[in-house]
Amino acid sequence: MPVRDIFELDIPILGICYGMQLLAHFLNGKVDNSAKREYGQATLEILDDNDLFCGLNGSTSVWMSHGDALQKIPDGFEVIAKTSNSPIAAIRSFNKKIYGVQFHPEVHHSVDGIVILENFLRNICKCKEKWDEKSIINTQIEKIRETVGNSKVICALSGGVDSTVAAVLLHKAIGEQLHCIHIDTGLMRKNESNIILKLFKENFNIPIEVIDGSIPFLSRLRGISEPETKRKIIGNTFIELFEEAAKRIDGVKFLAQGTLYPDVIESVSVKGPSATIKSHHNVGGLPEKMNLKLIEPFRELFKDEVRAVGRELDIPEWFIERHPFPGPGLAIRIIGEISEEKLEVLREADDIFIQEIKNSGIYNAIWQAFVVLLSVKSVGVMGDERTYENVAAIRAVTSTDGMTADWFEFPYNVLKRISNRIINEVHGINRVVYDISSKPPSTIEWE
């Protein structure tokens, strides 16, 4: 069906950000470069609160991410909200029940975003809520059993929340047909593999095969500094090792991963002008020809939804609340070329950072926190000696789904303690800086 025809179906439509621009384009409005780009928090002034903005008191804080904007609304539409930078921040055709908003109500940092979406879905579309953790689990178990049949499945178990919840769900669905494989890439956090093995042994009684892949990963990454090239190398190496492992197991036809919806959005460019932000090793890094078929039970879910599923599956709360850790590991937290020496420096700094966050009782208030080893060195003085060592950037953000994020406002005394410990205890770092950029326009990870 041509996109234009969607607007003639006589069904409620909500265009979000690019979606509003798209509907305006097809309905004879005008979209052009905005005089002022708008990223991050903005105050929305509501001009009409009868339906989409029902229950809001004249204004709300929303999250923007756009460089283009509507210059002219389509015929039959009216402006129902604006911001200081966007005189057309929301539009409506009441008769056709077509709405458009320039901001992102679906993200955590739009304060009343849930109210706006509920107004659209429940009051305008008359939808009934049927989603919950149990329904997701039951639906996926049925789907997995139907897809797999009597075949065996290997699960790429990184040890993060996503792959762990996926593994427990798969084991519940197919039991001994599941074979979990954890690859120690040499790019892991301090003691990461040991934590994973202990968790699965003590809590789930699910056996794990551990593969030491540090030699192929580090040798292939040697001399590589371009971020996308790193990701592609890591993705292809993962698949090669999994395929080799699969050959040793009779009847394996499927590879299971903990891919989430944000991974897909950031990795895949749909037809049109949207861009690939970064490839994920379990999405964009896959080779075109694979001997295994993919199972991705959480491909349409966000991180907070996967955590809810994990709680329903009785995964320990301390693990469910662990911060996300990227599949490519520390490779994308070292800017530039990777070496074993840099990896060791980064591991120690990152471990201290997380220790101090936990000691301060603020770990669960932060969505993700980590250290980045920069590709620059700075002059310092330690005792009577001049030093010329690495700069470390610390990053801590608040979010719920990773699609948007804002930097965490540390108490100064905590920042001071973190900086002092890293510089004093980690040989090779003499300066610590704090990243205070939001997503967008920055990403959470640096590469």
Side-chain angles (χ1 to χ4, degrees):
M1 175 187 292
V3 174
R4 186 186 299 272
D5 293 350
I6 294 174
F7 304 111
E8 304 301 326
L9 292 178
D10 194 30
I11 59 173
I13 294 172
L14 174 62
I16 295 174
C17 193
Y18 182 77
M20 182 174 87
Q21 297 172 14
L22 185 69
L23 72 84
H25 171 74
F26 279 113
L27 298 177
N28 298 316
K30 183 181 179 182
V31 179
D32 207 342
N33 291 334
S34 178
K36 293 182 179 179
R37 297 183 303 171
E38 204 168 18
Y39 294 101
Q41 218 79 44
T43 298
L44 186 76
E45 182 183 343
I46 297 168
L47 307 177
D48 187 306
D49 61 1
N50 284 327
D51 48 5
L52 190 64
F53 299 126
C54 183
L56 306 184
N57 296 318
S59 67
T60 185
S61 182
V62 298
W63 198 263
M64 290 286 194
S65 178
H66 66 101
D68 297 333
L70 265 67
Q71 307 300 322
K72 174 182 174 295
I73 64 174
D75 294 339
F77 280 73
E78 59 183 322
V79 178
I80 56 174
K82 64 181 182 178
T83 71
S84 58
N85 277 355
S86 296
I88 306 174
I91 60 174
R92 172 185 66 193
S93 171
F94 192 80
N95 292 334
K96 291 186 175 182
K97 294 194 181 302
I98 298 177
Y99 300 78
V101 294
Q102 186 59 73
F103 58 92
H104 287 269
E106 78 279 11
V107 303
H108 170 69
H109 293 92
S110 287
V111 174
D112 294 306
I114 295 298
V115 175
I116 295 168
L117 292 175
E118 283 183 344
N119 284 338
F120 179 73
L121 293 172
R122 292 179 175 171
N123 301 335
I124 297 171
C125 298
K126 307 300 181 184
C127 292
K128 294 182 179 179
E129 185 176 326
K130 295 182 179 180
W131 189 98
D132 61 28
E133 298 85 353
K134 290 182 180 178
S135 69
I136 288 292
I137 291 170
N138 293 335
T139 299
Q140 286 300 325
I141 286 176
E142 183 179 340
K143 185 177 179 180
I144 290 165
R145 287 173 177 167
E146 182 180 341
T147 301
V148 170
N150 295 322
S151 301
K152 292 182 180 178
V153 179
I154 59 173
C155 179
L157 185 63
S158 69
V161 173
D162 310 328
S163 64
T164 297
V165 177
V168 175
L169 176 64
L170 282 155
H171 191 257
K172 190 177 181 69
I174 59 175
E176 294 182 357
Q177 290 173 247
L178 177 68
H179 189 92
C180 290
I181 297 176
H182 170 70
I183 296 179
D184 185 346
T185 62
L187 306 168
M188 310 296 288
R189 289 175 291 194
K190 189 174 182 179
N191 297 325
E192 184 74 10
S193 294
N194 290 334
I195 292 171
I196 295 161
L197 289 171
K198 185 178 180 182
L199 173 74
F200 272 75
K201 182 179 180 180
E202 293 182 356
N203 292 275
F204 309 124
N205 197 28
I206 300 175
I208 303 175
E209 177 185 354
V210 179
I211 297 174
D212 184 357
S214 56
I215 291 176
F217 276 98
L218 295 180
S219 62
R220 294 177 187 184
L221 288 167
R222 189 169 295 118
I224 303 298
S225 58
E226 204 280 318
E228 274 299 287
T229 305
K230 287 183 188 178
R231 287 177 175 271
K232 295 293 185 181
I233 289 171
I234 292 167
N236 287 327
T237 305
F238 260 109
I239 297 304
E240 284 181 28
L241 293 177
F242 280 120
E243 286 190 320
E244 289 175 10
K247 291 175 183 177
R248 300 192 294 268
I249 307 168
D250 291 334
V252 172
K253 294 183 180 180
F254 298 91
L255 168 65
Q257 299 184 140
T259 308
L260 302 188
Y261 191 50
D263 301 337
V264 178
I265 293 172
E266 291 186 334
S267 294
V268 180
S269 175
V270 297
K271 293 180 180 179
S274 64
T276 298
I277 297 171
K278 58 184 178 182
S279 65
H280 291 253
H281 80 280
N282 53 349
V283 183
L286 296 178
E288 292 183 2
K289 293 183 180 180
M290 254 180 61
N291 295 327
L292 301 172
K293 298 177 182 177
L294 276 178
I295 293 179
E296 297 172 313
F298 306 141
R299 190 178 175 88
E300 297 180 354
L301 299 186
F302 290 91
K303 177 73 73 174
D304 57 324
E305 295 170 323
V306 173
R307 284 189 166 125
V309 170
R311 290 187 180 95
E312 188 65 29
L313 291 170
D314 294 326
I315 296 175
E317 187 66 20
W318 69 265
F319 188 87
I320 288 295
E321 289 297 334
R322 284 190 92 195
H323 293 173
F325 185 63
L330 301 182
I332 57 170
R333 293 177 180 174
I334 294 175
I335 307 303
E337 295 183 18
I338 296 165
S339 69
E340 291 187 33
E341 180 184 2
K342 289 180 181 178
L343 284 164
E344 193 56 35
V345 169
L346 180 55
R347 277 193 196 96
E348 293 301 320
D350 192 75
D351 188 53
I352 289 171
F353 188 27
I354 299 303
Q355 283 179 30
E356 286 302 322
I357 290 173
K358 289 181 176 178
N359 292 342
S360 301
I362 55 177
Y363 183 84
N364 287 349
I366 297 170
W367 195 75
Q368 189 172 5
F370 54 91
V371 177
V372 180
L373 198 64
L374 304 189
S375 58
V376 296
K377 291 187 175 183
S378 72
V379 174
V381 57
M382 292 184 176
D384 296 327
E385 296 183 0
R386 177 183 182 274
T387 62
Y388 189 59
E389 295 182 336
N390 295 291
V391 179
I394 58 175
R395 179 92 158 125
V397 298
T398 58
S399 183
T400 56
D401 52 27
M403 294 301 295
T404 62
D406 207 356
W407 57 279
F408 181 77
E409 296 187 29
F410 275 106
Y412 286 139
N413 64 317
V414 176
L415 274 178
K416 183 177 181 179
R417 192 160 59 245
I418 291 166
S419 176
N420 285 344
R421 279 200 63 193
I422 290 175
I423 292 172
N424 288 335
E425 298 177 31
V426 182
H427 295 289
I429 294 175
N430 69 357
R431 192 179 299 269
V432 174
V433 297
Y434 186 39
D435 178 354
I436 58 169
S437 50
S438 64
K439 176 184 180 180
S442 301
T443 54
I444 295 176
E445 298 286 348
W446 276 45
E447 288 192 343

